[in-house]
Amino acid sequence: MSTEAPKGSVLVLGARSDIGLAVAHRFARQGYAIQLAARNCSSLAADCADIALRYGIAVTAHEFDVLATAGHEAFVAALPELPIIAVSAVGTMGKQDDNERDMAAAITDIRSNFEGPAIILAVLANHFVARGSGTLVGISSVAGLRGRATNYVYGSAKAGFTAFLSGLRNRLAKQGVHVVTVLPGFVDTRMTAGMDLPAKLTAQPAEVADAIAVAVSKQRNVIYVRWMWRYIMLIIRHIPEGIFKKMKI
Amino acid sequence: MKLSGWGRFPVSECRVEAVRCEADVLALIGKGDVIARGNGRAYGDSAANALCTIDMRRMNRMIAFDASSGQLTAESGALLGDVIDTFLPRGWFLSVTPGAKFVSLGGAIAADVHGKNHHKDGSFGSFVDWIEICGADGQVRRCSRTENADLFAWTLGGMGLTGVILRAAFRLRQVESGWIRQTLIPAVNLDAAMEIFEASQDATYSVAWIDCLARGRSQGRSLVMLGEHALAAELPRHRQSNPFDTGNRAKRSVPFDLPRMLLNSLTVEAFNDLYYWNGKRKAGQVLVDWDSYFYPLDALLQWNRIYGKRGFAQFQCVLPLEASKSGLTALLSAIADEGGGSFLAVLKRFGAQNGNISFPMPGYTLALDFPVSPRNLTLLEELDAIVLAHGGRFYLAKDSRMSRETFHRSEPRSDNFSKFRGNEDMQQHFRSAQSDRLGL
């Protein structure tokens, strides 16, 4: 059980996701109180009990719908305390075929990967600026670095989110608030269940959480989780468009 | 996806479904046969089912802890190592632990794992108060010594073939420190080693590293290691204020598969010589941290790679007490004649048997591993025959290659197990590659 003085709270948005839960465990182990935010948050009771029992810290669950952007300000105001670190692990990855045929599905994917996470971090940013401290972590995706036929709806929303984080970091750099952009590459989660992912390029959720904790403490700006991804994406981004458009990747 | 146990042999193609809560499990029951898989630390094919292998690792929540009794309730995917990380700083340790901490709670129950204190405390199941298990009918039942007692007794050691273990409550033991007072006693041969074991029945922990390649008068030379949880007052002064802090042990990983040539009878013999003489020099009492004492191999992550790409086969048998000496002598002779080379060989005295199908029985257990090769697979069959001739049996958590006939000859208890499983409609619903191979 932690005997250190309370370190403040870490807010995890999208706390039911595998990465969100791993992040919660990682920061709880360091002695932070944890605020888990997700839809239907009463179903997180078992996770709250688990984290509280393991690390001897306070854990609270908060109802949060990332698409209900009008309620974001009220959501932050209702938290038991303003967190010192907020991590957005929100996101969906719809099927590309569905997104091509069903525009409502495409809109949901775009909103839940870009609009929703961007707005909640924007609200939190203003509170952090008023306090003069804090760290915002946005989990984006390498898919946002170049649109590909197989998932460009998801990818373009992530591209928007990545650009938003970059701008936010630029704006807040002189105001004591740090912004971390995470581009995890493949992760072994519910989102990727059933996909045949190469083991060497696929991180476990706990690895992503470790990378985030290090990035927060060292004030890193943009992180990849497994190092190979930095170079893979460097190559993919530099393929001339004339060739790229005919490729199947 | 391609799936294998920790021995990396055999490898099979399986559909894997990761579950996160009870509802996820229930959704997979009744649609064909399944087997639950914990952290994949059984060595062979116990936790592989081509149609549906249920990955329980994300169902790993701790539910409640009662500090008056030391009872911990947790989901079956929780790792024993996580239990130690959480509760050792509060003065609690596992009542029984196998030699690897990356084992799940469900796996520990399914294999009814044993530890270095088996002669005194019995197996993991002795400390399990109840288990909640999802049956073939999709119903979740609690079983214990008093409630659904049959189901409880067949689930301990039942290799996941009685249903999907969802949660369990088990008791931890109170300790004063994270240190073990280890006494190392060299034994010049098998007789001497067995004498030390028999004279050390009061020791909490006892285990021996045994040199399988020594011959003649040195056959069975061993280093017997006894251990006791150190009291806080027994620690050096500078450790007494923080008795559970043993520091972080450096973790190393085997980065790639080692070439097979590295392991041959010469290198293993040289290793064994060095290990024995070095141990002999260090005979006596020392304080060892819990991690190095119980889990010497876990510090080397992915140590299974030292046997190369083809993997390795584990062999662990137990021989009844009266047949132990002649049986062990025959086993050691066969191994030394072949010179097959196993440098991780362990000898241990077991105590009383519990459960209906658990592996341990009063007597001696010998555990070895061999790189997979046609020659070694033949040797393993020879060893099987020696064990059968001496009335012994085999540890299913380590088996990856035993024949159906050997299994049935070694396990008269399997008939009753099959009968029980048949009555409860389990045979159609819970199957593994191993249970198919062994005809369970």
Side-chain angles (χ1 to χ4, degrees):
Chain A
M1 216 167 281
S2 168
T3 50
E4 290 161 50
K7 287 180 145 178
S9 300
V10 174
L11 168 65
V12 183
L13 301 155
R16 201 185 335 271
S17 68
D18 291 322
I19 295 177
L21 274 178
V23 166
H25 277 263
R26 184 63 175 76
F27 282 107
R29 185 162 18 119
Q30 280 177 251
Y32 291 97
I34 300 294
Q35 301 168 346
L36 300 178
R39 273 182 301 173
N40 188 15
C41 74
S42 59
S43 68
L44 289 172
D47 292 299
C48 290
D50 177 34
I51 294 170
L53 177 56
R54 283 183 195 235
Y55 312 104
I57 44 95
V59 188
T60 48
H62 307 275
E63 192 61 35
F64 173 68
D65 180 355
V66 78
L67 296 180
T69 48
H72 285 358
E73 189 63 59
F75 163 79
V76 174
L79 290 173
E81 68 170 347
L82 186 64
I84 191 75
I85 299 164
V87 182
S88 169
V90 171
T92 55
M93 188 160 62
K95 288 203 180 94
Q96 174 67 24
D97 322 358
D98 294 347
N99 285 343
E100 287 167 17
R101 280 181 283 105
D102 176 0
M103 293 310 135
I107 289 169
T108 306
D109 237 18
I110 291 171
R111 291 192 64 214
S112 55
N113 287 303
F114 179 28
E115 181 188 309
I119 299 307
I120 185 63
L121 292 189
V123 169
L124 284 161
N126 291 343
H127 285 271
F128 283 16
V129 165
R131 180 178 58 192
S133 67
T135 303
L136 296 164
V137 181
I139 301 180
S140 191
S141 171
V142 294
L145 295 177
R146 190 155 194 182
R148 295 179 296 127
T150 46
N151 70 349
Y152 64 86
V153 174
Y154 169 81
S156 62
K158 287 293 196 184
F161 188 45
T162 301
F164 183 90
L165 292 168
S166 158
L168 195 62
R169 175 164 44 244
N170 187 202
R171 174 191 142 205
L172 302 179
K174 291 193 183 99
Q175 301 182 63
V177 178
H178 184 60
V179 178
V180 181
T181 307
V182 187
L183 307 174
F186 298 143
V187 187
D188 178 16
T189 64
R190 191 174 354 217
M191 196 189 259
T192 59
M195 295 185 190
D196 199 12
L197 302 178
K200 282 195 164 45
L201 295 179
T202 307
Q204 289 302 313
E207 265 178 88
V208 180
D210 282 343
I212 289 173
V214 171
V216 167
S217 73
K218 297 198 169 164
Q219 302 232 325
R220 298 255 161 80
N221 300 314
V222 180
I223 62 161
Y224 294 77
V225 176
R226 294 217 165 175
W227 62 269
M228 301 81 110
W229 279 104
R230 183 181 295 274
Y231 300 97
I232 293 171
M233 295 319 295
L234 188 74
I235 294 166
I236 290 180
R237 274 192 296 173
H238 285 85
I239 300 172
E241 191 64 24
I243 297 171
F244 189 79
K245 72 174 183 187
K246 292 179 194 145
M247 288 172 70
K248 222 180 141 186
I249 51 173
Chain B
M1 62 186 288
K2 295 242 182 294
L3 216 55
S4 67
W6 187 239
R8 305 170 81 202
F9 167 85
V11 179
S12 59
E13 187 65 35
C14 298
R15 183 170 74 99
V16 178
E17 292 284 346
V19 294
R20 288 164 178 82
C21 60
E22 185 177 311
D24 292 350
V25 176
L26 295 181
L28 295 170
I29 302 294
K31 295 183 181 153
D33 51 289
V34 301
I35 195 75
R37 180 182 177 93
N39 206 28
R41 291 297 170 123
Y43 288 78
D45 48 2
S46 325
N49 177 310
L51 294 177
C52 183
T53 302
I54 306 181
D55 178 351
M56 303 295 293
R57 286 177 300 175
R58 299 266 155 82
M59 212 173 138
N60 65 349
R61 300 172 190 89
M62 294 186 191
I63 300 166
F65 181 67
D66 177 354
S68 63
S69 62
Q71 188 198 59
L72 174 64
T73 308
E75 291 179 340
S76 59
L79 299 188
L80 298 186
D82 287 352
V83 173
I84 300 172
D85 286 347
T86 305
F87 291 99
L88 182 60
R90 305 178 206 180
W92 300 89
F93 195 73
L94 298 166
S95 297
V96 167
T97 176
K101 63 176 180 285
F102 302 116
V103 166
S104 69
L105 171 60
I109 291 169
D112 193 18
V113 297
H114 53 269
K116 298 173 168 62
N117 55 342
H118 188 275
H119 61 285
K120 209 172 175 184
D121 297 321
S123 51
F124 193 85
S126 313
F127 297 89
V128 174
D129 289 335
W130 54 259
I131 302 166
E132 278 178 0
I133 186 162
C134 175
D137 52 2
Q139 294 295 311
V140 178
R141 284 181 192 81
R142 182 176 286 202
C143 62
S144 68
R145 285 174 189 80
T146 51
E147 186 180 359
N148 296 314
D150 254 10
L151 179 61
F152 185 75
W154 286 115
T155 296
L156 294 174
M159 301 307 285
L161 299 170
T162 59
V164 178
I165 299 169
L166 300 173
R167 285 172 285 274
F170 63 110
R171 275 164 289 127
L172 304 179
R173 74 162 67 209
Q174 211 150 14
V175 294
E176 284 192 23
S177 82
W179 297 87
I180 300 294
R181 205 153 37 75
Q182 175 184 283
T183 308
L184 195 153
I185 312 169
V188 292
N189 55 28
L190 183 63
D191 276 351
M194 291 176 72
E195 266 170 43
I196 297 166
F197 273 116
E198 295 306 323
S200 311
Q201 295 280 355
D202 290 341
T204 304
Y205 300 111
S206 65
V207 70
W209 167 84
I210 181 166
D211 180 351
C212 289
L213 294 181
R215 293 157 167 280
R217 277 166 46 203
S218 307
Q219 184 177 57
R221 69 176 172 179
S222 306
L223 298 171
V224 185
M225 287 164 259
L226 309 180
E228 300 295 332
H229 286 282
L231 304 176
E234 291 168 344
L235 300 181
R237 197 161 298 254
H238 70 280
R239 297 211 180 272
Q240 287 187 5
S241 59
N242 218 344
F244 300 110
D245 182 9
T246 53
N248 277 334
R249 199 152 60 115
K251 295 246 183 315
R252 289 172 203 285
S253 185
V254 179
F256 51 84
D257 301 320
L258 294 186
R260 211 38 177 280
M261 280 166 53
L262 276 180
L263 277 184
N264 56 46
S265 56
L266 284 181
T267 54
V268 174
E269 213 169 325
F271 172 87
N272 284 359
D273 270 344
L274 265 174
Y275 195 83
Y276 180 75
W277 290 108
N278 190 39
K280 209 169 164 184
R281 206 164 46 81
K282 288 199 219 149
Q285 228 182 58
V286 283
L287 276 179
V288 182
D289 68 272
W290 61 272
D291 205 5
S292 312
Y293 182 78
F294 291 106
Y295 315 108
L297 282 174
D298 283 349
L300 196 61
L301 302 171
Q302 299 191 296
W303 64 264
N304 50 357
R305 287 179 159 178
I306 63 177
Y307 287 101
K309 245 197 173 107
R310 271 181 290 176
F312 62 101
Q314 276 264 348
F315 175 88
Q316 184 170 356
C317 65
V318 58
L319 298 163
L321 196 53
E322 61 284 359
S324 283
K325 195 159 155 191
S326 59
L328 287 169
T329 306
L331 289 169
L332 291 172
S333 302
I335 295 162
D337 284 351
E338 178 57 37
S342 166
F343 63 163
L344 304 164
V346 170
L347 180 69
K348 155 104 199 109
R349 169 78 153 89
F350 273 162
Q353 166 179 331
N354 58 354
N356 285 355
I357 193 75
S358 289
F359 163 65
M361 67 163 114
Y364 279 82
T365 181
L366 181 68
L368 309 159
D369 40 33
F370 296 95
V372 172
S373 70
R375 237 173 85 177
N376 281 340
L377 290 175
T378 312
L379 170 64
L380 284 163
E381 305 221 329
E382 267 176 59
L383 303 184
D384 288 350
I386 295 171
V387 173
L388 288 178
H390 289 82
R393 63 184 181 226
F394 304 93
Y395 192 19
L396 293 186
K398 294 201 170 171
D399 159 61
S400 58
R401 26 83 25 208
M402 198 189 337
S403 73
R404 187 176 286 211
E405 193 204 342
T406 302
F407 173 68
H408 284 279
R409 284 180 57 200
S410 71
E411 276 293 1
R413 303 178 299 173
S414 68
D415 287 344
N416 280 336
F417 191 32
S418 295
K419 223 173 278 166
F420 174 76
R421 295 215 312 130
N423 291 343
E424 304 284 334
D425 201 21
M426 292 168 183
Q427 266 160 331
Q428 314 302 321
H429 288 85
F430 304 109
R431 289 164 61 174
S432 63
Q434 182 179 50
S435 75
D436 285 351
R437 173 166 51 81
L438 299 179
L440 241 179

